[in-house]
């Protein structure tokens, strides 16, 4: 894969001013443990060091005083250096760390596979999302799961409602019902689980007491094995200032990101044997509709979905994919399809609170209104 | 039933995790802020290891799929297979429905021959064993638990991390909300000592069995070990250090001079290419 625009995959940690030493256009990420050890050996007072770490002085140079006093070259304690793209902020700066293994960045298979699955969900809903096909897939899937069809008759009836042209018409109605139910219980809809039923219908399901739920063992994308990437040399990493464009308040975020033109290897295997062996076990719309040509379909979906997204971002190239952090709602979801539902979706979107203005209670009339820009570029585009 | 013993072939080496490896353990206490999915660890040392059952199970599973795929061709060669059709009894739900994957084991369907004779004439069961309904066939392959190599234990003693908590996020494909979870995994690069022992019970079947064993190992290298393999985890590679044949005479006398080894082969592929070198240790002059 070749990185086209800054790419950040986080590991959940943040580097704080204690962890690094800024210089002109670059920062040194320090081996703090070794530095503190050596400072103590040179006679520095540990209490003073700790005080400094707890309450950093005016500027970013937490270590400046000690380094000058004991004539230490910070270079000696640098684990690695990062070029700075954009402006590094004042003492509150925190830098989101890139995921690494044994100190070297890599791209997790899960990030790539997640991006592929988003495209697959988008494309299958586009191609096979009509009510008739979905209902067929549900009936067939129930038979495969060895369950009594009565268990899902309610769901099928709702989907077959004449007002629904496709599954998304039903789904928007379903989200509305969920919101109503939540309101009755004086709770908010859990935004982390809104897609659960749709994921189950598309990728494969089992039926339990609570209805249909996604069952990874019945999900044919099990056959798609995406390895973690090769380790990437540290000199491909830089600190990017990421700005949120379109927001009223503009607080930038700093991230460690791979620079454009970074290349790395990824191994992707489609396990035909596994797909074949489980052919009487997988269910869901994807398997029902595209089971026989699953592998080709996956790549077609990726091509189709990301071509459309690339148009929006003005990215050129073939075999595109968008991965990592900062992609925005459109790239992370099936938003392109939902937006086509016009007013129906718009109402649900407002009720879900998507596009809520920070601080206030108002909801933006345009959604998605904000985009993240790293040094002038959209984030996360790669070329396969 | 007629069992004989000619000796043991011992394959030793290292198994390297090329990507992070997660073989899960049950979490018995839920600590606050603890990891959602811990890896299995040796209770004595607290260090992660690869259970022989995980490794053997995976080798068997991959080989079963291979045999099922070529069932019609293999029926001529192995009469234990002649009553099986391709596929799984899962759909029908009855064990022994005549399909290849005929036995339910914790919601998974595997292949098991029901009688000793059938198992002996089946490439899967005679290698990996069968606990049949009517009689058992003991496995010819033993896969030991694989513990960290000295080099990696030393790294651990020096304070290097052997496992990492990998953060992953599930993203809701409607709202784009992130749903974080952490999984513990053994770091990429970690190496474990493995030992696989094959018991020679029939000189005519040695080559065939060893070939199948090595083939399963090769299949594993292009598949994955442990959990979450379809999203990056568990790519492994075998580094072969030693392959030796301990004949019956060694066990009778304890004389190490009786043990025979081949020259060094680094990879499974190289060993498979030179399988005759191994076979000739066991059956000199084609005997």
């Amino acid at each position: 894969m070749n990185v086209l625009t800054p790419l950040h995959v986080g590991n959940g940690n943040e580097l704080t001013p204690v962890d690094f030493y800024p210089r002109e256009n670059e920062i040194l990420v320090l081996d703090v443990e070794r530095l503190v050890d050596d400072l103590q050996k040179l006679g520095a007072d540990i209490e003073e060091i700790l005080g400094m770490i707890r309450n950093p002085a005016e500027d970013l140079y937490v270590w400046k005083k000690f380094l000058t006093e004991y004539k230490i070259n910070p270079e000696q304690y640098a684990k690695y250096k990062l070029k700075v793209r954009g402006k590094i902020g004042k003492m509150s700066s925190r830098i989101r760390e890139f995921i690494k293994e044994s100190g070297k960045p890599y791209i997790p298979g899960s990030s790539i596979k997640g991006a592929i699955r988003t495209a697959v969900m988008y494309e299958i809903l586009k191609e096979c999302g009509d009510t008739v096909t979905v209902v067929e897939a549900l009936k067939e899937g129930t038979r495969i799961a060895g369950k009594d069809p009565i268990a899902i008759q309610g769901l099928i009836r709702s989907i077959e409602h004449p007002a629904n042209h496709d599954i998304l018409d039903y789904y928007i109605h379903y989200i509305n019902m969920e919101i109503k139910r939540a309101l009755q219980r004086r709770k908010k809809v859990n935004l982390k689980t809104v897609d659960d039923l749709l994921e189950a219908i598309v990728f494969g399901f089992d039926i339990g007491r609570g209805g249909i739920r996604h069952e990874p063992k019945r999900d044919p994308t099990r056959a798609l094995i995406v390895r973690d990437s090769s380790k990437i040399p540290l000199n491909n990493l830089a600190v990017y200032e990421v700005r949120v464009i379109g927001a009223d308040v503009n607080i930038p975020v700093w991230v460690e990101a791979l620079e454009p033109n970074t290349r790395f290897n990824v191994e992707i295997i489609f396990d035909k044997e596994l797909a074949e062996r489980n052919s009487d076990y997988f269910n869901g719309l994807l398997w029902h509709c595209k089971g026989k040509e699953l592998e080709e379909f996956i790549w077609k979906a990726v091509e189709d979905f990301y071509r459309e997204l690339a148009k929006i971002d003005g990215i050129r190239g073939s075999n595109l994919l968008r991965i990592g952090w900062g992609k925005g709602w459109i790239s992370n979801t099936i938003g392109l399809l939902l937006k086509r539902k016009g007013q129906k979706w718009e109402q649900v979107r407002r009720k879900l609170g998507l596009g809520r203005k920070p601080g206030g209670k108002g909801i933006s009339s345009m959604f998605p209104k904000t985009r993240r820009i790293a040094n002038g570029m959209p984030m996360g585009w790669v070329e396969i | 039933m007629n069992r004989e013993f000619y000796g043991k072939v011992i394959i030793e080496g290292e198994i390297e995790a090329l990507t992070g490896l997660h073989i899960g353990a049950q979490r018995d206490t839920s600590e606050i802020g603890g990891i959602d999915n811990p890896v299995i660890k040796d209770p004595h040392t607290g260090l992660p290891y690869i259970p022989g059952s995980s490794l053997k199970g995976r080798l068997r599973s991959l080989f079963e799929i291979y045999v099922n795929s070529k069932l019609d061709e293999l029926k001529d060669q192995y009469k234990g297979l002649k009553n099986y059709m391709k596929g799984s009894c899962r759909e029908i739900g009855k064990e022994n429905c005549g399909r290849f994957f005929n036995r339910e084991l914790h919601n998974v369907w595997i292949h098991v021959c029901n009688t000793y004779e059938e198992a002996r004439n089946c490439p899967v069961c005679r290698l990996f064993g069968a606990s049949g309904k009517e009689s058992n066939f003991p496995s010819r392959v033993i896969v030991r638990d694989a513990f960290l190599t000295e080099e990696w234990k030393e790294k651990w003693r020096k304070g290097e991390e052997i496992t990492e908590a990998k953060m992953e996020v599930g993203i809701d494909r409607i709202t784009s909300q992130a749903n974080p979870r952490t999984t513990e995994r053994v770091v990429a690069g970690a190496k474990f000592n493995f030992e696989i022992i094959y018991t020679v019970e029939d000189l005519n079947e040695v080559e065939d069995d060893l070939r199948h064993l090595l083939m399963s190992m090769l299949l594993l290298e292009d598949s994955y070990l442990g959990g979450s393999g379809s999203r990056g985890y568990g790519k492994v590679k075998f580094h072969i250090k030693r392959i030796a044949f301990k004949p019956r005479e060694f066990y009778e006398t304890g004389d190490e001079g009786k043990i025979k080894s081949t020259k060094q082969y680094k990879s499974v592929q190289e060993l498979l290419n030179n399988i005759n070198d191994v076979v000739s240790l066991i059956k000199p002059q084609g005997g």
Side-chain angles (χ1 to χ4, degrees):
Chain A
M1 281 189 181
N2 182 25
V3 176
L4 298 176
T5 65
L7 166 59
H8 171 73
V9 180
N11 66 357
N13 295 338
E14 282 185 329
L15 300 171
T16 68
V18 173
D19 299 305
F20 55 84
Y21 187 84
R23 295 203 298 204
E24 203 165 326
N25 299 326
E26 68 173 12
I27 65 164
L28 307 178
V29 178
L30 301 173
D31 187 340
V32 175
E33 215 173 302
R34 195 156 60 88
L35 179 61
V36 172
D37 264 9
D38 286 4
L39 279 172
Q40 272 183 278
K41 278 181 205 152
L42 290 169
D45 179 19
I46 183 74
E47 287 302 322
E48 200 185 344
I49 297 175
L50 289 174
M52 199 70 158
I53 291 174
R54 273 193 291 260
N55 304 304
E58 288 295 292
D59 59 11
L60 264 173
Y61 298 75
V62 176
W63 297 108
K64 192 176 175 184
K65 176 181 173 286
F66 292 101
L67 296 175
T68 327
E69 199 177 320
Y70 293 98
K71 296 192 180 65
I72 292 173
N73 180 2
E75 194 99 16
Q76 288 176 339
Y77 293 89
K79 281 199 278 192
Y80 55 97
K81 280 187 219 176
L82 297 167
K83 280 160 242 129
V84 176
R85 310 292 184 202
K87 266 196 196 130
I88 196 88
K90 284 284 174 213
M91 56 179 254
S92 62
S93 300
R94 286 165 172 268
I95 301 167
R96 297 188 182 194
E97 206 184 329
F98 200 95
I99 192 163
K100 298 184 189 84
E101 200 151 46
S102 319
K104 294 261 180 69
Y106 73 100
I107 307 292
S110 54
S111 292
I112 299 168
K113 190 161 176 185
I116 294 174
R117 273 169 61 95
T118 307
V120 167
M121 191 180 213
Y122 164 86
E123 191 72 11
I124 199 77
L125 290 171
K126 205 172 109 184
E127 281 195 20
C128 303
D130 61 285
T131 311
V132 175
T133 313
V134 172
V135 168
E136 271 173 16
L138 280 170
K139 285 181 178 164
E140 170 74 1
T142 309
R143 188 187 64 74
I144 289 170
K147 293 280 156 53
D148 185 351
I150 292 170
I152 60 151
Q153 263 171 16
L155 176 64
I156 287 177
R157 261 200 308 277
S158 307
I159 293 172
E160 278 177 331
H161 190 282
N164 299 333
H165 167 253
D166 61 23
I167 178 76
L168 287 183
D169 288 330
Y170 162 73
Y171 211 74
I172 289 170
H173 162 77
Y174 164 81
I175 299 171
N176 257 318
M177 297 304 288
E178 287 292 295
I179 295 168
K180 254 189 208 165
R181 247 173 262 155
L183 277 175
Q184 278 165 5
R185 280 182 275 137
R186 300 194 179 170
K187 282 187 175 164
K188 280 185 181 167
V189 172
N190 183 357
L191 294 179
K192 293 172 180 175
T193 56
V194 175
D195 73 348
D196 286 7
L197 175 65
L198 192 62
E199 186 182 27
I201 293 172
V202 168
F203 287 112
F205 57 86
D206 253 338
I207 302 163
R209 269 187 298 172
I212 280 185
R213 58 175 169 75
H214 178 233
E215 171 53 69
K217 293 191 188 101
R218 296 195 185 275
D219 182 337
T221 63
R222 262 186 73 190
L224 186 72
I225 300 172
V226 184
R227 307 273 203 209
D228 288 351
S229 79
S230 55
K231 299 221 176 100
I232 302 165
L234 273 163
N235 60 13
N236 291 293
L237 217 51
V239 175
Y240 275 83
E241 180 193 21
V242 183
R243 292 200 161 270
V244 184
I245 306 287
D248 304 335
V249 195
N250 199 339
I251 304 165
V253 178
W254 288 272
V255 299
E256 286 185 351
L258 291 176
E259 301 218 74
N261 293 321
T262 302
R263 281 169 186 275
F264 54 89
N265 290 322
V266 173
E267 190 182 3
I268 300 179
I269 301 165
F270 187 81
D271 190 338
K272 282 201 174 75
E273 301 273 6
L274 187 139
E276 203 177 298
R277 183 185 176 191
N278 287 284
S279 58
D280 57 356
Y281 192 67
F282 293 144
N283 62 10
L285 186 60
L286 172 63
W287 185 247
H288 176 78
C289 198
K290 298 288 174 185
K292 289 194 182 75
E293 37 176 321
L294 184 62
E295 191 182 357
E296 300 80 44
F297 177 76
I298 288 172
W299 297 116
K300 181 179 168 283
V302 168
E303 170 99 34
D304 198 46
F305 180 64
Y306 289 102
R307 198 197 305 116
E308 233 174 284
L309 286 177
K311 265 192 262 167
I312 301 170
D313 272 354
I315 300 287
R316 276 190 222 161
S318 50
N319 300 320
L320 295 168
L321 195 67
R322 199 175 190 192
I323 52 180
W325 177 84
K327 302 193 291 280
W329 180 76
I330 289 275
S331 299
N332 272 332
T333 63
I334 51 160
L336 283 174
L337 293 176
L338 291 169
K339 277 170 85 83
R340 285 185 206 161
K341 295 289 175 190
Q343 205 46 39
K344 268 206 304 202
W345 160 248
E346 187 56 22
Q347 280 166 3
V348 169
R349 194 268 293 178
R350 282 163 182 269
K351 284 186 200 161
L352 286 172
L354 300 179
R356 190 182 295 280
K357 291 176 183 164
K361 281 189 173 173
I363 288 176
S364 172
S365 59
M366 250 186 51
F367 181 76
K369 189 185 167 197
T370 59
R371 331 198 275 139
R372 288 200 174 91
I373 296 290
N375 205 24
M377 286 172 275
M379 296 197 73
W381 282 101
V382 296
E383 199 175 35
I384 307 172
Chain B
M1 175 168 153
N2 177 29
R3 293 189 71 189
E4 290 182 73
F5 176 70
Y6 295 92
K8 283 175 185 283
V9 177
I10 292 154
I11 307 172
E12 285 170 308
E14 289 175 355
I15 179 165
E16 182 183 3
L18 296 179
T19 65
L21 177 67
H22 174 84
I23 297 174
Q26 295 295 320
R27 188 169 71 150
D28 45 13
T29 51
S30 43
E31 311 141 55
I32 294 166
I35 279 183
D36 304 330
N37 304 298
V39 299
I40 191 159
K41 296 190 185 91
D42 179 357
H44 292 299
T45 61
L47 288 169
Y49 73 105
I50 301 172
S53 57
S54 299
L55 189 51
K56 190 181 172 197
R58 201 72 182 105
L59 294 173
R60 178 177 187 132
S61 154
L62 291 164
F63 184 54
E64 280 180 0
I65 297 169
Y66 165 82
V67 173
N68 177 55
S69 311
K70 296 195 59 159
L71 195 60
D72 294 332
E73 294 162 56
L74 293 172
K75 270 182 188 176
D76 300 333
Q77 203 181 332
Y78 302 97
K79 52 183 196 251
L81 295 175
K82 74 174 189 300
N83 293 324
Y84 294 108
M85 284 187 296
K86 270 189 181 190
S88 163
C89 292
R90 175 157 54 194
E91 195 183 7
I92 296 151
K94 279 188 193 151
E95 290 192 356
N96 290 322
C97 68
R99 300 276 176 87
F100 183 72
F101 296 102
N102 61 341
R103 177 76 61 81
E104 191 171 15
L105 191 78
H106 313 302
N107 295 327
V108 184
W109 288 84
I110 63 166
H111 169 74
V112 176
C113 290
N114 278 313
T115 65
Y116 183 92
E117 267 318 305
E118 210 182 304
R120 184 167 190 153
N121 287 298
C122 162
V124 176
C125 294
R126 79 170 188 222
L127 192 57
F128 292 103
S131 52
K133 286 257 148 106
E134 290 160 44
S135 56
N136 290 340
F137 186 90
S139 172
R140 286 180 181 175
V141 168
I142 299 165
V143 181
R144 304 266 196 227
D145 286 351
F147 296 99
L148 278 177
T149 60
E150 271 312 311
E151 178 201 359
W152 276 82
K153 278 188 199 156
E154 191 52 38
K155 286 187 185 203
W156 175 72
R157 281 184 212 113
K158 284 184 179 155
E160 225 174 278
E161 299 286 346
I162 299 294
T163 63
E164 56 176 359
K166 181 172 180 270
M167 173 117 111
E168 281 181 14
V169 284
I171 293 177
D172 188 283
R173 285 185 173 86
I174 297 215
T175 63
S176 179
Q177 281 289 312
N179 214 344
R181 55 174 182 261
T182 48
T183 305
E184 187 183 22
R185 59 183 204 171
V186 176
V187 296
K191 287 181 182 158
F192 301 84
N193 289 317
F194 79 86
E195 187 184 35
I196 296 178
I197 298 162
Y198 169 77
T199 309
V200 183
E201 296 189 6
D202 186 327
L203 290 173
N204 294 320
E205 289 163 359
V206 167
E207 182 177 344
D208 207 37
D209 282 351
L210 285 175
R211 209 178 264 286
H212 291 156
L213 175 61
L214 293 171
M215 195 172 89
S216 307
M217 291 164 79
L218 209 52
L219 283 168
L220 177 59
E221 290 185 340
D222 280 339
S223 181
Y224 54 82
L225 186 63
S228 301
S230 82
R231 53 186 139 95
Y233 297 46
K235 177 176 178 172
V236 293
K237 185 160 177 59
F238 291 100
H239 302 281
I240 304 227
K241 287 265 161 83
R242 181 166 181 256
I243 176 154
F245 175 59
K246 293 184 177 175
R248 193 170 54 201
E249 295 79 40
F250 164 75
Y251 294 96
E252 287 160 359
T253 61
D255 176 5
E256 282 191 25
K258 303 280 183 199
I259 301 174
K260 291 185 264 182
S261 311
T262 65
K263 64 172 190 169
Q264 287 239 320
Y265 296 110
K266 284 197 175 109
S267 66
V268 177
Q269 193 182 345
E270 205 187 332
L271 187 55
L272 188 57
N273 283 335
N274 293 285
I275 188 133
N276 285 334
D277 293 357
V278 187
V279 175
S280 64
L281 299 180
I282 306 159
K283 301 197 292 181
Q285 295 98 40

